[in-house]
Amino acid sequence: MTTIQQPPKLIGEPIKRREDPRLITGQATYVDDIRLHGMLYMSLVRSPYGHAHVTNIDTSAAAQAEGVVAILTAREVKAMSEPMPVAAQLEGMNLPVRWALASDVVRYQGEPVAAVIADDRYRARDAADLVLVDYEELPAVVDPDKALEPGADLIHSDFGTNAAITIPIGSTEDTDRAFAEADVVIKQRMINQRLIPVAMEPRGVVAQYNAGEETMTVWSSTQIPHLLKTILAACVRIPEHHMRVIAPEVGGGFGSKLNVYAEELLSALASIQTGRPVKWIESRAENFLATIHGRDLIGTIELAAKKDGTLIGQRVRIIADIGAYHQLLTAAIPTLTSLMLPGVYKIPALSGEIVEVFTNKTPTDAYRGAGRPEGTYFIERGINMLAQELGMDQVEIRRKNFIGKDEFPYTTSAGVVYDSGDYDGSLDKALANAGWGAVAQLKEEARARNKYLGVGISTYAEICGMGPSAALPAGGWESGTVRVERSGKITVLTGASPHGQGEETSFAQIAAEELGVGIDDVSVLHGDTAQVPFGIGTFGSRATAVGGAALMMSIVKVKDKARRFGAHLLEALPDDIVYEQGRVFVKGHPEKGMALAEIAAAAWNAPNLPPDTEPGLEATSYFEPSNFTYPFGAHVAFVEIDADTGHIDLKRFIAVDDCGRVINPMLVEGQVHGGLAQGIGQAMYEEAVYDESGQLLTGTLMDYCVPRSDQLPSFELDRTVTPTPVNPLGAKGVGEAGTIGSTPAIVNAVVDALQEFGVKHIDMMLRPEKVWRIINGGKQ
Amino acid sequence: MDDIDALRRAIPDCEQLERTSPDQYSGRARVGIAAIKGTYDGTVTLSDRRELSGLHVSVEAKSGHARIAGEGDITLSDDDGGTRAEYSGDARVIGPLAAVAQRLLPTFSKAQINEFFKRLDAHLYADTAANSTVENKP
């Protein structure tokens, strides 16, 4: 009798990333590694001003510089292309028409006005300096509050206002009633400052127009190759079926590459014009100005509660500083904030508004967390302020208001339906891991050393697995293909375009375990629109929850078809055939079976097909989720403040995250680590600062502090597992959790540490100077 | 301020200086701030001249990295048999340099101005070899 070897269990195992060997040995191919015959290089002339009239552009000197092949200005751009695309077009919003190069007015520092194309990167850069642009500086509007004042200088004069849109939230009547009935009310203006994504690899594009075929291939460091293909094709007037986009290795995106940028249009136009491939690689300095920024919301939040701490109402006014223009999804990001406002609590009434405001700054768009960190911050700071006001404990007030484990699916006052959760469960675990009982003693000990110890909790939920197509501007489904090659090896294609998340590993784990083959027999391909069926991309913690679900659907189809072949070839009834451990066999008779490789050969050679069965062993599926997923968790921060310097020492950070079913715990931890670094970065280290004329003052890594490992403690991670019913994997998504839960935990901890100074709130980022002033009796 | 030769020697790293009108110079200097070195073309305009007691200076300069606009006043007074020159001013930096050098700029400008007066001093007193000091009063 044949013994069937049990294949190793893969799903749920910490398999090392299969991507890493090529990445850490320098064998990966990023956009800048692509070299094509006859390739030209593009360098951009960018506005040094925040706001100015462009009165003249003189390209004559640049045109004569050595190696220069072409120069583009707004004139060529307008003749050759469509305006910049905006996918998030909310009803009633002011939408300025914007071209890939500015013509009459520049509205943020770094806005491109001309593109110089030369045969060498350095010659292109030098020639760009020879383009003489005459500017007449205009007053810049950098403060979103002042931008809304009557008589403010206008950024887009056509609209007569700097407001891009005002979006009402919830029901005013119910909320006003709740506030009238409240025993206690808190109100606080909170700043969620502007951040710069700083992906390790800046953006880059290579565009190659093939005049003979009238086709275009674009390599771009993007999170969304398929959407880019459709949108870019329309923008540069190449029929979509003649356009191919490839996202090669992408060195991080964090949402900043979930976009369509001017440089993608310009590289394509330059290639059409010159008939040669054109490369553009963003410098780090350009990356600070020309790639989208994140956050930048000012929220005024009010909470109404009963004496016992029961929340009864929430009111907000949010000013979102969106910068000078709409990028692809700009206007939609603050709407995610409004959906997240109730957090993990039962708050029966919610009302307010979001005002999105134009300013002379780089446009904002999705940055890791995209709207949810802001909403979470407002409620998680708010609930701690309420606890302080009521003299309640920050744990007790949360437990009092949690949506109960048995209350799911739960419709919040923001109108969304939370899928599943166990908020007490994750908080219990976080408190146990933190040693919550010892906090009071630790505080005393710290005081003896002239330090102030503070502990902060944040309990969060987030919106992931994006998402139902009706909720997204270009579809929310994802594709997944499973192809069993003739030899029995497996090729998986995913429309999600991973760029650091590790799906080449986790999707191989799913396919290998489900199909009963070794993980080395599975490869996962992505990122090339000519190779992979249409997909949406990787963002909004969706790749596993949506793309993984599509993969599962295709696995089921392939196994079904393998069984049909098995039944035909083994001369048994299909219902009697089982697929187990990489073999099909008659139930109870594993020795009378066929290996997947044998079935695959039969399917592709096809000499003897089952009735009504097509040759081949391959399936493609498109998974449309019925809802978002709502991961959740509890974070606890311990900070110790030095009384003499105001220095904040983050002593411990405890995170318990629930992202549903876990495919690879090592990848989940990696995602949480990165998210925590960025979330803690927002609280303690990062802030994009503009001066009053619209000059970015934090435009380098010397001035904008991305946290380094010595500024972060060793994270103490744990998890609970509450699967989602929304997809067949039960996975919720974890890409953004770290940025969402951690930021308020840190601020809550610092405010807690400074209790004896009567501090109710401190705005981010938490500079030691601010803290020192509080300790020394000054104002913030 | 009317002695172009003295100015050429006094302006640090001055590569070229021409007088375009009685109250205006244009020129070129190679300046390095932090790691960013650039050749700046600019004009200096003198106004509000007060005989033997001071004047107003406006500077505009442009390079591939930045546009710099500055305004300053120089006040001269008797000081124990010598001449005391006091200056005050304000400068704006526009462009990529603003992001890099904002923090370094005050220190850098001070050093440049000190260097200017030091060189001017050396030129003026070259013949007499008189002692002079340059004292920094921000």
Side-chain angles (χ1 to χ4, degrees):
Chain A
M1 191 174 141
T2 320
T3 48
I4 292 171
Q5 212 182 338
Q6 187 76 25
K9 194 174 154 33
L10 293 166
I11 295 177
E13 295 302 308
I15 310 280
K16 279 191 185 166
R17 280 163 46 104
R18 311 163 87 205
E19 294 88 335
D20 284 346
R22 68 171 189 264
L23 293 173
I24 59 182
T25 56
Q27 297 182 80
T29 305
Y30 293 88
V31 172
D32 202 11
D33 295 316
I34 292 162
R35 289 181 182 84
L36 302 175
H37 181 69
M39 192 154 78
L40 301 172
Y41 300 83
M42 182 172 77
S43 181
L44 296 182
V45 180
R46 297 180 183 278
S47 167
Y49 292 98
H51 198 191
H53 270 301
V54 178
T55 53
N56 189 41
I57 302 177
D58 177 1
T59 59
S60 54
Q64 281 161 24
E66 208 180 338
V68 170
V69 177
I71 297 175
L72 300 178
T73 63
R75 196 185 317 147
E76 289 75 26
V77 164
K78 285 180 180 176
M80 293 174 74
S81 69
E82 304 300 321
M84 291 288 295
V86 174
Q89 299 196 12
L90 309 183
E91 205 185 323
M93 87 179 189
N94 288 325
L95 176 58
V97 174
R98 173 195 183 192
W99 299 87
L101 291 172
S103 50
D104 307 333
V105 181
V106 285
R107 295 183 173 86
Y108 66 94
Q109 188 194 12
E111 183 168 3
V113 293
V116 177
I117 297 100
D119 60 0
D120 170 271
R121 187 180 292 181
Y122 298 95
R123 284 175 171 172
R125 176 66 188 81
D126 285 346
D129 280 350
L130 299 175
V131 175
L132 301 175
V133 185
D134 294 331
Y135 298 97
E136 253 170 40
E137 197 175 4
L138 295 167
V141 181
V142 292
D143 179 327
D145 285 323
K146 286 186 186 150
L148 290 172
E149 284 171 5
D153 291 300
L154 293 179
I155 292 165
H156 301 285
S157 51
D158 292 357
F159 304 135
T161 171
N162 288 319
I165 188 172
T166 299
I167 305 163
I169 302 169
S171 150
T172 311
E173 204 179 306
D174 293 352
T175 310
D176 288 352
R177 197 179 314 122
F179 274 81
E181 290 165 3
D183 297 326
V184 59
V185 168
I186 63 111
K187 181 174 183 178
Q188 180 67 46
R189 182 176 187 270
M190 300 179 196
I191 293 171
N192 209 285
Q193 80 274 32
R194 180 170 279 249
L195 300 174
I196 299 175
V198 199
M200 188 88 79
E201 181 209 17
R203 288 183 297 122
V205 190
V206 172
Q208 182 180 34
Y209 181 66
N210 183 324
E213 297 172 356
E214 297 180 336
T215 59
M216 166 92 70
T217 303
V218 172
W219 290 260
S220 183
S221 185
T222 182
Q223 298 174 224
I224 47 165
H226 284 99
L227 297 180
L228 179 60
K229 180 190 81 163
T230 306
I231 296 170
L232 187 59
C235 284
V236 301
R237 300 174 186 160
I238 299 271
E240 190 180 357
H241 62 303
H242 287 191
M243 174 71 85
R244 173 184 182 186
V245 171
I246 301 170
E249 214 74 70
V250 174
F254 313 121
S256 73
K257 294 172 183 173
L258 162 54
N259 230 307
V260 178
Y261 282 100
E263 294 84 356
E264 287 165 326
L265 274 71
L266 294 169
S267 303
L269 296 179
S271 183
I272 293 171
Q273 194 172 43
T274 61
R276 292 166 68 176
V278 174
K279 179 189 273 190
W280 171 77
I281 298 294
E282 190 179 49
S283 71
R284 181 58 67 193
E286 282 182 297
N287 180 258
F288 273 90
L289 292 167
T291 294
I292 61 102
H293 291 174
R295 314 276 195 273
D296 211 344
L297 260 59
I298 300 169
T300 302
I301 175 161
E302 294 171 76
L303 289 176
K306 290 294 189 190
K307 262 199 290 283
D308 67 354
T310 305
L311 287 163
I312 56 171
Q314 182 179 22
R315 203 188 269 146
V316 292
R317 181 161 198 269
I318 291 168
I319 308 281
D321 176 345
I322 62 170
Y325 299 97
H326 293 283
Q327 277 280 356
L328 197 65
L329 299 169
T330 301
I333 305 304
T335 64
L336 289 168
T337 299
S338 67
L339 298 181
M340 207 71 264
L341 284 167
V344 288
Y345 310 113
K346 288 183 277 189
I347 310 178
L350 166 69
S351 76
E353 64 176 11
I354 301 171
V355 187
E356 300 186 8
V357 187
F358 292 117
T359 60
N360 290 116
K361 299 179 194 167
T362 296
T364 58
D365 207 317
Y367 169 59
R368 201 170 192 173
R372 289 96 85 207
E374 301 91 308
T376 303
Y377 182 76
F378 296 144
I379 184 65
E380 286 304 293
R381 278 296 304 123
I383 198 153
N384 266 41
M385 292 185 68
L386 186 64
Q388 198 177 346
E389 187 74 23
L390 287 162
M392 271 177 92
D393 177 71
Q394 53 180 327
V395 173
E396 193 194 338
I397 194 161
R398 283 179 167 77
R399 292 206 193 278
K400 179 142 214 110
N401 291 289
F402 275 158
I403 299 161
K405 193 179 167 179
D406 308 325
E407 295 178 77
F408 295 92
Y410 182 87
T411 305
T412 73
S413 53
V416 292
V417 182
Y418 288 4
D419 55 346
S420 60
D422 177 8
Y423 304 148
D424 274 303
S426 55
L427 181 56
D428 287 344
K429 206 163 197 174
L431 296 177
N433 293 355
W436 193 251
V439 163
Q441 195 192 336
L442 288 171
K443 283 186 173 182
E444 260 176 52
E445 282 169 17
R447 251 345 249 119
R449 288 180 282 119
N450 201 24
K451 310 263 188 195
Y452 300 94
L453 187 134
V455 286
I457 292 176
S458 155
T459 45
Y460 72 93
E462 54 157 334
I463 307 169
C464 287
M466 296 196 179
S469 292
L472 295 177
W477 46 267
E478 195 48 84
S479 71
T481 297
V482 175
R483 183 191 305 142
V484 185
E485 309 284 359
R486 278 173 193 260
S487 59
K489 304 289 185 196
I490 313 291
T491 302
V492 169
L493 309 175
T494 175
S497 191
H499 47 278
Q501 293 81 3
E503 269 89 26
E504 285 176 35
T505 305
S506 59
F507 281 15
Q509 287 176 253
I510 295 172
E513 177 162 321
E514 293 291 332
L515 291 168
V517 300
I519 192 165
D520 292 338
D521 292 330
V522 182
S523 71
V524 179
L525 305 181
H526 55 81
D528 180 350
T529 62
Q531 193 175 40
V532 178
F534 212 101
I536 302 297
T538 290
F539 56 87
S541 304
R542 68 189 304 277
T544 304
V546 190
L551 169 60
M552 272 304 286
M553 289 167 68
S554 289
I555 289 169
V556 168
K557 288 178 192 169
V558 161
K559 282 163 86 170
D560 275 349
K561 191 165 181 184
R563 270 207 304 273
R564 237 181 298 147
F565 271 98
H568 183 66
L569 298 170
L570 295 168
E571 297 178 344
L573 290 171
D575 285 352
D576 291 337
I577 296 284
V578 291
Y579 185 118
E580 262 177 36
Q581 295 156 17
R583 291 170 61 83
V584 288
F585 52 85
V586 179
K587 216 178 283 176
H589 299 279
E591 73 285 0
K592 280 192 202 152
M594 294 173 78
L596 184 58
E598 294 173 82
I599 297 280
W604 290 108
N605 294 331
N608 180 11
L609 288 171
D612 303 323
T613 302
E614 293 170 25
L617 194 51
E618 172 176 337
T620 294
S621 308
Y622 298 85
F623 177 68
E624 166 67 27
S626 56
N627 188 4
F628 296 105
T629 61
Y630 294 84
F632 60 92
H635 290 184
V636 182
F638 284 67
V639 300
E640 208 172 80
I641 293 172
D642 185 283
D644 295 331
T645 63
H647 175 78
I648 301 166
D649 188 5
L650 176 56
K651 303 294 278 187
R652 291 179 68 197
F653 198 92
I654 295 99
V656 175
D657 297 290
D658 192 321
C659 58
R661 187 171 174 213
V662 170
I663 310 299
N664 183 329
M666 190 187 285
L667 293 179
V668 166
E669 283 189 13
Q671 286 292 331
V672 174
H673 277 231
L676 291 178
Q678 286 172 306
I680 294 166
Q682 176 171 19
M684 297 177 66
Y685 304 117
E686 300 184 36
E687 181 171 18
V689 180
Y690 278 85
D691 76 6
E692 67 283 356
S693 66
Q695 296 289 307
L696 179 66
L697 301 182
T698 51
T700 74
L701 286 166
M702 289 187 294
D703 306 84
Y704 184 89
C705 180
V706 175
R708 298 168 178 87
S709 58
D710 67 341
Q711 291 169 306
L712 299 165
S714 204
F715 301 130
E716 300 169 51
L717 306 188
D718 207 339
R719 75 176 75 87
T720 57
V721 177
T722 309
T724 177
V726 170
N727 63 60
L729 277 177
K732 288 191 170 191
V734 73
E736 297 156 289
T739 57
I740 293 168
S742 61
T743 312
I746 301 282
V747 181
N748 283 345
V750 170
V751 171
D752 181 60
L754 300 174
Q755 282 301 288
E756 65 186 82
F757 303 100
V759 174
K760 289 186 173 167
H761 178 71
I762 309 175
D763 273 323
M764 301 183 288
M765 62 177 247
L766 302 170
R767 286 187 182 78
E769 179 202 346
K770 275 188 199 173
V771 176
W772 183 88
R773 284 183 196 283
I774 290 168
I775 294 171
N776 287 277
K779 286 185 176 166
Q780 280 186 42
Chain B
M1 281 292 167
D2 289 315
D3 178 349
I4 188 160
D5 196 40
L7 286 174
R8 261 189 209 131
R9 288 169 194 226
I11 295 170
D13 302 311
C14 174
E15 288 184 355
Q16 200 183 310
L17 191 70
E18 305 299 332
R19 192 163 197 169
T20 47
S21 81
D23 285 328
Q24 197 165 57
Y25 294 98
S26 73
R28 168 175 291 184
R30 196 168 159 70
V31 183
I33 304 174
I36 300 192
K37 293 184 174 59
T39 302
Y40 288 79
D41 290 319
T43 55
V44 178
T45 309
L46 309 176
S47 59
D48 191 24
R49 287 160 172 267
R50 287 151 280 144
E51 193 67 30
L52 293 179
S53 73
L55 77 167
H56 184 79
V57 184
S58 313
V59 181
E60 273 188 35
K62 204 156 99 169
S63 79
H65 309 298
R67 287 153 195 252
I68 296 172
E71 301 278 331
D73 282 293
I74 300 175
T75 309
L76 304 173
S77 57
D78 280 336
D79 184 33
D80 200 17
T83 304
R84 183 182 182 85
E86 286 181 60
Y87 65 88
S88 65
D90 200 15
R92 275 185 65 205
V93 183
I94 291 146
L97 187 67
V100 181
Q102 200 78 13
R103 292 168 301 129
L104 310 171
L105 218 56
T107 321
F108 173 79
S109 344
K110 240 179 247 170
Q112 288 289 96
I113 292 167
N114 281 348
E115 182 66 22
F116 173 82
F117 282 115
K118 223 181 255 175
R119 286 164 177 241
L120 192 65
D121 228 37
H123 177 74
L124 290 174
Y125 293 98
D127 304 334
T128 60
N131 286 333
S132 71
T133 53
V134 172
E135 171 190 351
N136 178 28
K137 272 219 163 171

